[in-house]
Amino acid sequence: DDHKDLQSTRVNLAAAVKELGDLDRARELEEKVLEIRTRMLPEDHPALQRVRANLGATLAAQGDIQGGRALQEQVLAAFSRTLPPEHPDLQTARLNLSASMFFMRDLQGARALQERVLEDRSRFLPDDHMDMQLARLNLASTLTELGDSAGARALREKLMEVFSRTLPDNHPHLQSA
């Protein structure tokens, strides 16, 4: 039951059934893998953190935002200890947690994480990279909810400038911006 290949199969099956909308089955599989990996791996092991992140997303999709947030906080803490600031997994962990905070109306917490992601990405990615645009869009949405229209507008104007320069006129991202 603890064999690594069986765990990998469970992880893959969980992703597949989640795509098909069976969140209960996905959760069951992810909880089983988390239980096994928690016993077998060191606390900061990336494979343990990935299954925590997956389960956190499943819980959030089921409406358990608090449960998802708790797992996302664990993932972010582990990745903050073990990964360099530019690592995509660390950036994703921050964004995932900021989304939970946003939905729980912890807008200041979401803002702080989103500002950190944008700051880190600006040091490591070109200005027109799509991950930079995603960071701007997330932060603009949070600023809008906080009532900072000027800050949100500045970010959206930057999105328009980059998208106008890098995307065809009929691209959906440009149209949306």
Side-chain angles (χ1 to χ4, degrees), residues 9-99:
T9 300
R10 282 187 181 111
V11 168
N12 293 337
L13 181 58
V17 299
K18 190 185 294 188
E19 281 292 314
L20 294 171
D22 189 349
L23 297 176
D24 292 335
R25 181 71 175 131
R27 179 179 179 168
E28 176 187 317
L29 291 162
E30 291 164 348
E31 286 174 339
K32 179 67 174 175
V33 174
L34 180 61
E35 181 265 317
I36 292 168
R37 288 186 178 173
T38 300
R39 272 191 288 109
M40 297 180 71
L41 298 174
E43 177 57 29
D44 288 343
H45 196 284
L48 178 58
Q49 301 316 315
R50 280 191 288 279
V51 77
R52 271 194 182 121
N54 291 343
L55 179 56
T58 300
L59 292 175
Q62 288 183 309
D64 183 2
I65 306 296
Q66 183 62 42
R69 178 179 175 169
L71 289 172
Q72 292 161 350
E73 287 171 341
Q74 290 178 28
V75 171
L76 179 57
F79 283 164
S80 294
R81 288 189 298 271
T82 60
L83 298 176
E86 70 275 11
H87 197 284
D89 288 347
L90 177 58
Q91 299 300 317
T92 298
R94 283 193 178 107
L95 287 176
N96 289 343
L97 179 55
S98 76

Side-chain angles (χ1 to χ4, degrees), residues 134 148 173:
L134 176 62
D148 182 357
H173 290 338

Side-chain angles (χ1 to χ4, degrees), residues 120-145:
D120 286 346
R121 286 183 173 173
S122 69
R123 288 196 313 267
F124 306 110
L125 295 174
D127 191 55
D128 60 354
H129 193 283
M130 191 54 78
D131 285 347
M132 287 292 295
Q133 307 331 304
L134 176 62
R136 286 185 178 109
L137 185 59
N138 287 336
L139 182 54
S141 296
T142 300
L143 292 178
T144 297
E145 290 294 312

